[in-house]
Amino acid sequence: MGLFGRKLGSVQVEVSTHCQLNCLMCPKSIFRKDWVYEHMDLDTFRNVPFKLFKYAHLQGWGEPLLNPNIIEMIEIAKREGCSVGITTNGVLLQEFAKDLANAGIDLVAVSIASPKPEEHRKIRGCNLYEILEGVRLISKYGIPKIVVTTIMMKDTVKNLPELIKIARDYGVGDVIANNLDYIPSEDLEKLKVFSNEEDKEVTKILEDAKNVAKIAGVNLVIKPIKLEECLVCAENPIKNCLITVDGNVAPCVYLHLPTRSEIIRRIFLGREVRIPKLYFGNLNEKSFKEIWNGKGYKEFRNAFIRRLSVVPGFDFEFPELPNVCKTCYKAYSV
């Protein structure tokens, strides 16, 4: 049971900040000179209280299958009674398919930029067909849930219906179309599909994608493309958290980057914003319970709890977001 008599939601564990790719939209590609390359060690990993959470996602700003202990890590979390998943670039899927299945992994999400091989290679720098063969293999081994994830961008969103068909053909039942919700450079700002106003062309593409998914029997999740402030973002820091590669506890991945700088640079509504990284303690120094119940962390979570307590229809404003969240696109539903 969790700290309050029931389990918390999900813990995201950044098991590695290494990656063999340099994807167009990844902050590692933008901040490569400042990037800190590290694998989480087993001692730090064992400090994560998996028994307190319903689900553990073993991935942060890096490729989890590069951690030499990843299979053992999955087994450790499973023994603690936690469902376990990863997001992978898919390059090593064929090599790890059997081991992932034997370890009892519950979910494998595979990132695909485009169903068009040349476009996928341009964005991610790897062979699409090799990744799809890896997807076919993990499907063969019976991994319970396989998800294809993609990032909707100006140049690629038109291919979403085709991607859904390919996912179905390779044994995938779920597709998630995410937004470019963390934007580390001005050039990438031009590629986002979400805005304050409806883009009728994009809306039509997404409606077509929904119809294709329905016919194909694929569960399709499309993130909203219109900015609208939400009470609590999808990361839900009230119940969820991130453990960084070196053991820091943060509310979410958007308030952490594995860089030497203590500042996170992001583009928000066309302007550069710099915010401090936000950590509330380190699992190598304190227990999770001490960190979670610390004054600063409680105050941060309470800001969102207060927002949820507002009764709609009355003439007063919602309590403000924490300052570090005001310029994060996740706070505006996308």
Side-chain angles (χ1 to χ4, degrees):
M1 300 297 285
L3 301 178
F4 309 105
R6 59 185 184 276
K7 284 197 173 188
L8 296 171
S10 65
V11 57
Q12 185 172 355
V13 185
E14 185 178 54
V15 294
S16 182
T17 61
H18 288 268
C19 187
Q20 66 274 65
L21 304 182
N22 286 294
C23 299
L24 173 70
M25 58 288 186
C26 181
K28 184 181 84 74
S29 303
I30 307 299
F31 305 130
R32 66 183 67 188
K33 292 182 180 178
D34 197 35
W35 203 257
V36 177
Y37 296 90
E38 190 175 356
H39 294 309
M40 179 179 281
D41 60 59
L42 281 173
D43 288 340
T44 300
F45 189 83
R46 288 191 177 99
N47 287 333
V48 181
F50 292 103
K51 63 184 178 182
L52 299 181
F53 293 90
K54 297 175 183 177
Y55 175 72
H57 199 72
L58 307 187
Q59 184 256 345
W61 295 111
E63 169 53 46
L65 294 181
L66 288 174
N67 188 309
N69 298 308
I70 186 61
I71 298 302
E72 185 175 355
M73 288 173 163
I74 294 167
E75 292 170 343
I76 289 170
K78 290 287 293 183
R79 284 198 297 270
E80 292 289 318
C82 200
S83 296
V84 180
I86 62 168
T87 296
T88 174
N89 59 33
V91 173
L92 297 174
L93 262 186
Q94 294 186 60
E95 177 183 339
F96 277 88
K98 187 174 182 180
D99 288 339
L100 288 170
N102 289 340
I105 197 164
D106 299 282
L107 179 151
V108 175
V110 186
S111 299
I112 295 178
S114 171
K116 298 185 179 299
E118 65 282 0
E119 192 170 54
H120 180 85
R121 182 178 290 280
K122 180 180 177 181
I123 295 170
R124 290 195 171 269
C126 55
N127 187 302
L128 174 62
Y129 291 121
E130 289 183 2
I131 291 168
L132 290 173
E133 283 307 313
V135 171
R136 192 193 300 277
L137 198 54
I138 60 174
S139 177
K140 175 184 174 183
Y141 280 115
I143 287 173
K145 189 165 186 177
I146 302 169
V147 181
V148 161
T149 68
T150 192
I151 295 179
M152 295 183 289
M153 297 189 291
K154 290 284 188 184
D155 296 337
T156 63
V157 67
K158 63 183 179 295
N159 297 319
L160 182 57
E162 184 180 348
L163 180 62
I164 293 164
K165 294 177 184 177
I166 287 178
R168 174 205 58 196
D169 292 344
Y170 281 82
V172 176
D174 295 81
V175 173
I176 300 176
N178 291 307
N179 279 299
L180 189 60
D181 47 33
Y182 171 61
I183 301 178
S185 75
E186 292 86 350
D187 289 341
L188 289 176
E189 175 84 357
K190 302 169 188 174
L191 299 181
K192 64 181 177 61
V193 299
F194 59 86
S195 65
N196 288 310
E197 299 179 0
E198 181 185 10
D199 184 322
K200 292 184 179 179
E201 183 179 351
V202 173
T203 299
K204 174 65 167 57
I205 292 168
L206 299 184
E207 287 302 318
D208 290 346
K210 291 175 185 177
N211 291 332
V212 169
K214 185 176 181 180
I215 294 169
V218 171
N219 178 41
L220 173 64
V221 175
I222 300 175
K223 298 300 173 67
I225 60 168
K226 185 176 180 181
L227 292 171
E228 185 175 2
E229 185 174 336
C230 51
L231 297 179
V232 180
C233 72
E235 302 305 299
N236 193 2
I238 297 172
K239 296 182 178 180
N240 307 329
C241 68
L242 166 76
I243 312 298
T244 73
V245 72
D246 50 2
N248 285 320
V249 181
C252 71
V253 72
Y254 298 92
L255 293 173
H256 157 70
L257 270 186
T259 54
R260 293 180 183 85
S261 173
E262 290 304 309
I263 298 296
I264 295 173
R265 177 179 179 268
R266 61 192 182 201
I267 307 301
F268 181 74
L269 297 179
R271 64 186 178 91
E272 180 180 302
V273 177
R274 294 173 181 264
I275 62 158
K277 295 176 182 177
L278 186 62
Y279 309 128
F280 289 104
N282 190 287
L283 291 181
N284 294 312
E285 300 168 359
K286 294 182 179 180
S287 71
F288 179 81
K289 186 173 182 178
E290 288 178 286
I291 296 168
W292 184 263
N293 288 327
K295 181 180 178 182
Y297 207 168
K298 276 188 173 181
E299 288 177 353
F300 182 86
R301 296 197 305 276
N302 283 339
F304 293 98
I305 293 171
R306 287 193 296 271
R307 288 170 66 83
L308 287 177
S309 68
V310 171
V311 180
F314 285 81
D315 294 327
F316 51 78
E317 295 181 354
F318 293 114
E320 285 193 347
L321 289 161
N323 285 333
V324 291
C325 299
K326 289 178 180 177
T327 56
C328 177
Y329 281 126
K330 296 302 290 185
Y332 302 89
S333 302
V334 300

